[in-house]
Amino acid sequence: MKSYNESCPIALALDVIGDRWTLLVLRELLVQGPCRYTDLANGLPGIATSVLADRLRSLEDAGLIYRESAPPPVATTLFHLTAKGRDVEPILVTAGRWAVEHLDGPAPDSEFRIHWLPFAASFYLRGHEAAGLPLSIQLETPVGSGVVEATVDGVRSRVGTVPAPDLTLTGMPDGIIRLLSGASTPEEARNEGLTIDGDIEVLAGFTRDAVS
Amino acid sequence: MKSYNESCPIALALDVIGDRWTLLVLRELLVQGPCRYTDLANGLPGIATSVLADRLRSLEDAGLIYRESAPPPVATTLFHLTAKGRDVEPILVTAGRWAVEHLDGPAPDSEFRIHWLPFAASFYLRGHEAAGLPLSIQLETPVGSGVVEATVDGVRSRVGTVPAPDLTLTGMPDGIIRLLSGASTPEEARNEGLTIDGDIEVLAGFTRDAVS
DNA sequence: CGGCATCCTCTTTGATACTG
DNA sequence: CAGTATCAAAGAGGATGCCG
């Protein structure tokens, strides 16, 4: 993309991360960890392969990612985030919080990937009161599972399962999001088809962003 | 722009604010307040007028801004932010902080507008210790003046002057930014041509973002 | 003058096909 | 698997014209 050629830091940032698809490529690397080219393509429905190749080159040139020629058994190129790339996470989180506060939910026919769910869920869950840590929430949907874990180090999320979660939410992804966001109460969520197993009180322990 | 059509909140946000120029239009309205069309065009060097008109329409449709047909003496259209639009400020601030931490400074020939300076300066200055509030820093450059003011309500910045600032920094914009960012010490800044009048200690009272 | 709309050229994207 | 090649369509940039 053409540079804005401004001295403002916002414009400088957008020169690097403002291209179409760029922030979503970084999202994939943040939530999936090191990725193969095809892992990225699968997590970015609709991207043209030439565009993905271009963005990866730009991000590498800008020092946000690097390539590793992984030895067997991987035997392929892996794309990793650098510290500079990892540090865009707060930008994504801030944008995600804004979206869940101000925007309508996704369209009914929109694309969904299970590895997005725990990241989206984490937008609602910040630090956690020290009491009861560590704790974990298991998310179960027809299209896959995710975990949100709170430790003294903060809140992390990932795809997969955890042995003995403190709370398990089973249902459609949007129902889970609505519950975590406070858009629906536990009772409403149950009525909408969500199954809640375990200690619902752990949710209250997560300090929500003050939406003032 | 074509929607990403993803259920991920990040993608939903980018559907609204991910277009080229869109975040910079919002920056202008945040730092300048309500703007006329030409105010915006002047603060966005390089934007095509058709693109600006298009972005304003999109932002209005998305509910981030609204138009006011201002009566005389203004007698023209003013573009205002809505609450939804004002709430993108944290995204801009996060992006700006990332830029000042990780990116090189602006190119020597890059565009500069005085009203960007106090906003950029505020990226470095967050809350302030209660002692000594309110206080103010006057920024003086060959191309204009700005003020950063800290009160119990937080840190705000604006174009203009303040009667009796606690600290006055006179010099080139990038030298001021370098001092505020900690990239240069007060002694180095003086050697680079910056004039520091008043109590340099007020800077130390600002709590910098812990860089990890 | 302020707020666009039009026209034109150039670049970027999206979709698909193909290759080492 | 990790791209490159190709091409049509959409968007951006620049100039100018219009209309209150």
Side-chain angles (χ1 to χ4, degrees), chain B residues 182-201:
Chain B
S184 63
T185 63
E187 307 86 71
E188 286 168 345
R190 269 191 252 260
N191 290 338
E192 289 167 10
L194 201 72
T195 306
I196 302 174
D197 291 312
D199 181 12
I200 186 66
E201 290 305 312

Side-chain angles (χ1 to χ4, degrees), chain B residues 20-21 46 48 55:
Chain B
R20 184 159 167 80
W21 291 109
R55 294 302 179 273

Side-chain angles (χ1 to χ4, degrees), chain A residues 46-129:
Chain A
I47 197 172
T49 115
S50 54
V51 172
L52 177 54
D54 179 83
R55 294 303 179 274
L56 289 171
R57 224 174 298 122
S58 301
L59 285 169
E60 191 180 13
D61 292 347
L64 278 74
I65 67 172
Y66 66 94
R67 283 160 213 260
E68 174 205 8
S69 296
V74 178
T76 185
T77 307
L78 283 181
F79 295 89
H80 294 254
L81 287 173
T82 62
K84 185 172 178 178
R86 263 193 306 277
D87 282 352
V88 315
E89 180 170 13
I91 303 176
L92 293 178
V93 171
T94 313
R97 290 224 176 88
W98 180 81
V100 297
E101 181 181 342
H102 286 291
L103 265 32
D104 293 337
D109 63 333
S110 59
E111 299 281 350
F112 177 80
R113 296 292 183 276
I114 182 62
H115 62 264
W116 299 339
L117 178 60
F119 190 51
S122 70
F123 294 155
Y124 303 99
L125 310 172
R126 298 252 277 189
H128 191 280
E129 302 174 334

